[in-house]
Each structure stands twice: as C-alpha cells, then as structure tokens.
Amino acid sequence: MAVTLRDVAALAKVSPIVVSRVLHNKALAIKVTEATAERVRIAARELGYRRNISAVSFRTKQTMAIGIFHGAGRAMPNFEGGSSYFGALMDGFVAGAFANDYTVSLCPKLLGQSPDDALSDGRFDGLVLYSTDITEANAKMLQRCTVPLVLVHTRSSDFDCNFPSVLCDSYQGILLAVKHLEDLGHRHIAFAQDPWFLSTEIRDRHNAFLKIAEERGLPVSADDVVTIGALGENFDELFSDRYTAIIACHDNLAGRIMEAAEQHGVSIPDDLSLVGFDSTSFCNELRPALTSVSQPLQHMGARAIDLLVAFIRGETQGPAELTYPCGLDIRGSTKSIDALVIS
C-alpha cells in the first residue's frame, strides 16, 4: 500500500495539515516550528512517502500536462533527419512548459487517425495544435474540443477567433527573400512548393511570392510556381535555364532541391541561387550552407505555451493572434550575378 500523508502525520505525531504545510507548502497560515518540521521530514523519509500526483490531480481537476499534436491523419514527426524544424519548435514548447511547471506529451493517438478522444478525456489541461494542414476533418475536430487549445502556424481568425494562435509573417519573410535575390541581380525567380494545397503557410507564401513579384515588376507569373511531388516531379522544369534563383517554401524542400541539382549537373550557387524558409541548424549541414528565411521557432513555441497556460488559468480576455516577424540568414547558397541572358 502507498504511504499516505496521514501515515506520516501519525508517525510524526502531528496533524495531517501540518504535514501538508511542511512537505507541500500548503496551509500557509499554519505556523510550524523548525523542530516539528524536521520531525515530519524524518517521518516521511522513514516511511518512503511520495506525493500521490494522481490524487492531487483528482482533487484539483488538473493534470499539469499539455498535449502537443498536429491533427488527424498525420504521421509522427521526426526529431532527426532532414530539417530540424520540429526539434526547434519542440525546444520552445518544452522551455515554455517547464517555466510554467507543466509536462509535455506527444501522444501517438493524437498524432494518428483518431485524436478526438484525447481532446476531451481529461488527460491534458490544454493542447497545442501545430499544423498548417487544417482539413475539414481537423476543423470539425477542433469545434468539438472542450479543453483550452492554442494554434501554431494557423490563424485564429480562420476559426472565428475561438483559439489563440502564434504564427510568423510569411509575407514579410518572402519579401526579405525576394529583396535579397534582387540585390544580387536576380529577376527570373521560381517558387518551389510541396503539393500540400491545404497548407495555410504554403498557400500564404505562394500568394506572397506572386504579389511581391508583381509589385516589384519582376517577370514572374503563376507559371513560375513549381510544385515538386514526392517522386521529384518537375525538377527538370525547375532546373531549366528560365531561372537564376529559387525560393523554396521550406528548408526540407530546399534540401531536396540541392540533392536533385547535383544529380542534374546544376551548381548551387554558381548556376542557381537557392533560398529556403525556417533557417534551423539543418541549413548549416547542407553544402553549400542554405540561405534561409528565419522564423523564431523556439520563441513561438514558448509563447504558445504561455498563451495556453493563461487560457487554462482564465487569465486571458480573449483569444490573441500573435504574428512574429521573420529574419534572413544569408549563407552560401546565394550568389550575385553580373549579366545572364535568359532564353
């Protein structure tokens, strides 16, 4: 049988409330001498007393646990291999949770096909959804959610401002990339994207690229948005002599473009300049190192947890939509051109 607080009180010959005051810093109005406190601590050690977190959670109706998920029908993310985007974001989630005395869970059920149960079954005080792929099924799932929830990478306004959200300014990030390439003399620029047409961020970056190119008088149209499939479809189009530079919608895709460029005999940055989006440590592992738009992933993750904890505690006046500016980390994958004739 587990040792209880009452067992400690009996051995120390004090009341249970005194034990609670000494061991758990409760009942602060109770005055306890140091001699009595030491007697309680000795009794707790002799009996091997451990606080019953399940019982505490039952009494307080709090689990002090936060669930992290990215929607139904998505595979579990990788911490290693490819872009370290998820690792950087998780660093922020963990830092924010620890600062608020919460634990963080990645639950396979949440990350699989049927996360609905975990949205409302009491295992978490709150949830963070990091996803840009808000399908109809995921949207309905969120509408049924009965615990506090914060969105990352998805706009609060897309859900009638029912949930706080944290995201980066994709338009401003793409503008930084375009300006950088223009400064290097590039005008014939392609935008490379995944075939994830439901992705809010990819759609935003796609639209930003076309709008910015039009505003700046660049010879760019919708035909210069190239979708790269899982089997490498359209790499030939991307590596045609139409372009001197490419902006990839994220670093993972930029890494694939680098691999394909080598196979096609295309040199980066001598033949093509390349810019990614996220700018994690992965960029420094590539050869050449990848110039990339940076979003403050760790800060965004920590801020999402802060918002969630305030939501859980009822300290917010209403859902907030926090949009963070991007930066640009210039590395070796972009290069100036003097004069290049485009056929």
Side-chain angles (χ1 to χ4, degrees):
M1 295 290 291
V3 177
T4 68
L5 185 144
R6 291 184 179 277
D7 295 330
V8 176
L11 182 60
K13 295 182 171 50
V14 296
S15 68
I17 196 169
V18 170
V19 177
S20 180
R21 172 67 178 87
V22 174
L23 299 183
H24 306 315
N25 205 31
K26 301 292 185 180
L28 299 181
I30 301 295
K31 302 299 181 182
V32 179
T33 66
E34 180 55 32
T36 299
E38 183 61 18
R39 196 164 74 247
V40 169
R41 288 190 285 267
I42 291 172
R45 285 196 297 270
E46 287 182 1
L47 293 173
Y49 171 76
R50 296 290 183 274
R51 193 177 191 188
N52 188 324
I53 299 301
S54 296
V56 173
S57 297
F58 180 78
R59 290 196 303 272
T60 62
K61 301 188 184 306
Q62 284 190 313
T63 64
M64 300 307 293
I66 290 170
I68 308 294
F69 74 114
H70 65 171
R74 300 289 299 277
M76 187 180 76
N78 293 321
F79 283 91
E80 290 191 44
S83 171
S84 50
Y85 152 83
F86 180 67
L89 189 61
M90 277 302 302
D91 281 345
F93 290 150
V94 171
F98 279 25
N100 287 284
D101 295 324
Y102 272 82
T103 59
V104 176
S105 294
L106 282 172
C107 176
K109 197 169 185 180
L110 281 175
L111 296 167
Q113 296 291 331
S114 302
D116 283 40
D117 292 343
L119 289 177
S120 309
D121 67 2
R123 78 179 82 175
F124 299 120
D125 293 338
L127 297 165
V128 175
L129 167 65
Y130 75 99
S131 179
T132 64
D133 185 11
I134 304 299
T135 63
E136 183 178 353
N138 282 333
K140 289 180 178 179
M141 179 182 68
L142 293 182
Q143 291 171 0
R144 295 191 293 269
C145 180
T146 60
V147 299
L149 181 143
V150 170
L151 304 168
V152 177
H153 298 315
T154 299
R155 289 184 292 267
S156 176
S157 54
D158 289 343
F159 291 91
D160 298 323
C161 295
N162 290 325
F163 310 108
S165 67
V166 178
L167 64 163
C168 76
D169 188 339
S170 287
Y171 181 93
Q172 179 253 346
I174 295 297
L175 179 60
L176 289 175
V178 171
K179 283 184 174 180
H180 171 62
L181 292 173
E182 277 189 298
D183 290 344
L184 295 175
H186 298 280
R187 291 181 56 78
H188 298 270
I189 305 169
F191 181 82
Q193 66 180 17
D194 292 311
W196 295 340
F197 300 117
L198 293 175
S199 169
T200 303
E201 281 191 328
I202 292 178
R203 186 169 63 247
D204 286 349
R205 293 168 192 174
H206 167 142
N207 293 338
F209 171 74
L210 293 177
K211 187 172 189 298
I212 290 166
E214 181 182 8
E215 291 171 347
R216 302 183 73 82
L218 296 177
V220 169
S221 71
D223 292 336
D224 300 307
V225 176
V226 181
T227 300
I228 305 298
L231 300 178
E233 300 90 337
N234 297 327
F235 274 133
D236 288 339
E237 179 182 350
L238 200 60
F239 297 140
S240 70
D241 56 7
R242 292 174 58 192
Y243 306 115
T244 65
I246 303 167
I247 298 173
C249 64
H250 55 70
D251 289 344
N252 257 342
L253 182 56
R256 291 181 60 203
I257 291 171
M258 277 195 178
E259 291 180 6
E262 184 175 2
Q263 295 167 4
H264 283 71
V266 175
S267 173
I268 293 176
D270 294 329
D271 299 324
L272 271 173
S273 284
L274 177 63
V275 180
F277 203 114
D278 283 338
S279 196
T280 66
S281 58
F282 171 69
C283 296
N284 293 315
E285 298 171 6
L286 298 172
R287 292 294 177 270
L290 179 65
T291 294
S292 185
V293 176
S294 62
Q295 54 176 327
L297 291 169
Q298 293 186 24
H299 184 73
M300 289 166 61
R303 192 69 184 94
I305 298 296
D306 289 341
L307 280 177
L308 181 60
V309 171
F311 198 175
I312 291 169
R313 294 172 178 168
E315 297 172 355
T316 56
Q317 297 300 313
E321 185 171 293
L322 302 182
T323 303
Y324 286 92
C326 296
L328 181 69
D329 295 326
I330 299 173
R331 301 184 179 91
S333 66
T334 51
K335 183 178 180 180
S336 177
I337 59 174
D338 297 322
L340 185 61
V341 178
I342 307 298
S343 61

